[in-house]
Amino acid sequence: QESRRPNVLTSKDRTQGFSLLELLIALIVFSIGLLAIAGLQTVSKQANFEAVQRTTAAQVANGLLEDIRTNGNGIDIYAAAPQLGGGVIGAEPVPNGRDGNGGNAAQKAAHDLWFWEQVLDGNLETNGGIGAGGLVLPTLCIAGPVAGGAGVYTVTIVWRGTASITANIADPCGAASGNYGAQNEFRRVVQIPTFIDPNF
């Protein structure tokens, strides 16, 4: 009569089963780790982009303030400038200040404002004819003495950030544009004040 073997797992079978289970657990842990790394890279890229935008805004503000300082006779033109950004100035003013064709102080001021708006909008760096630099939905405001005399001049630059924030500077620059969220929660602000005396 044929003997029947009991239906039990050998030690070798149990070892193989545990190896498969361990492999599955390792794959799950590894997948979770990959997701965490991907999330970290996303946050890092956003932070880097915000830093580049803030650096660009600070450079534009400082550059414009330096132009105002060196063009004292046209300081009233800067002080009366509208909010810049989005091509509000339009075509490049003439004369443009190149090739010895500098014009007077008022013309230089008009061209300076146009130039810095081009930098803000990214039109000096193009890719296929489309602006590739600048800030995201920028607005630039100049505040100072109404008549353009000696005093504190403040250049405020705002743009759209990548994430909403609750705290925001109480400055009207760009606040009514609708570009920065219903509560301006996406608005980022760089504000640089300096004292300028056009007589020196």
Side-chain angles (χ1 to χ4, degrees), residues 26-195:
L27 284 174
I28 291 172
V29 172
F30 182 68
S31 299
I32 293 172
L34 286 179
L35 288 174
I37 291 172
L40 184 62
Q41 279 189 321
T42 301
V43 172
S44 176
K45 287 179 71 173
Q46 286 180 343
N48 184 59
F49 180 73
E50 290 275 6
V52 169
Q53 295 275 285
R54 189 167 297 278
T55 300
T56 300
Q59 288 175 338
V60 170
N62 281 308
L64 178 54
L65 284 169
E66 193 58 32
D67 281 344
I68 296 173
R69 190 184 307 279
T70 58
N71 188 22
N73 291 332
I75 200 167
D76 56 324
I77 305 298
Y78 300 103
Q83 292 186 357
L84 304 182
V88 298
I89 292 181
E92 181 178 8
V94 178
N96 57 27
R98 296 189 295 266
D99 302 324
N101 189 14
N104 58 37
Q107 290 169 328
K108 181 185 183 312
H111 193 270
D112 288 341
L113 292 170
W114 174 86
F115 172 80
W116 289 113
E117 184 179 64
Q118 298 305 300
V119 176
L120 275 180
D121 293 341
N123 294 330
L124 298 183
E125 305 171 65
T126 59
N127 183 10
I130 300 173
L135 303 177
V136 177
L137 297 174
T139 304
L140 184 150
C141 306
I142 303 172
V146 177
V152 175
Y153 287 80
T154 302
V155 172
T156 302
I157 298 177
V158 301
W159 68 96
R160 186 177 179 93
T162 57
S164 63
I165 56 176
T166 54
N168 212 332
I169 186 170
D171 186 279
C173 186
S177 66
N179 290 333
Y180 313 113
Q183 305 296 324
N184 287 314
E185 65 273 19
F186 290 97
R187 192 174 67 144
R188 302 293 186 268
V189 182
V190 163
Q191 193 171 65
I192 300 180
T194 188
F195 180 84

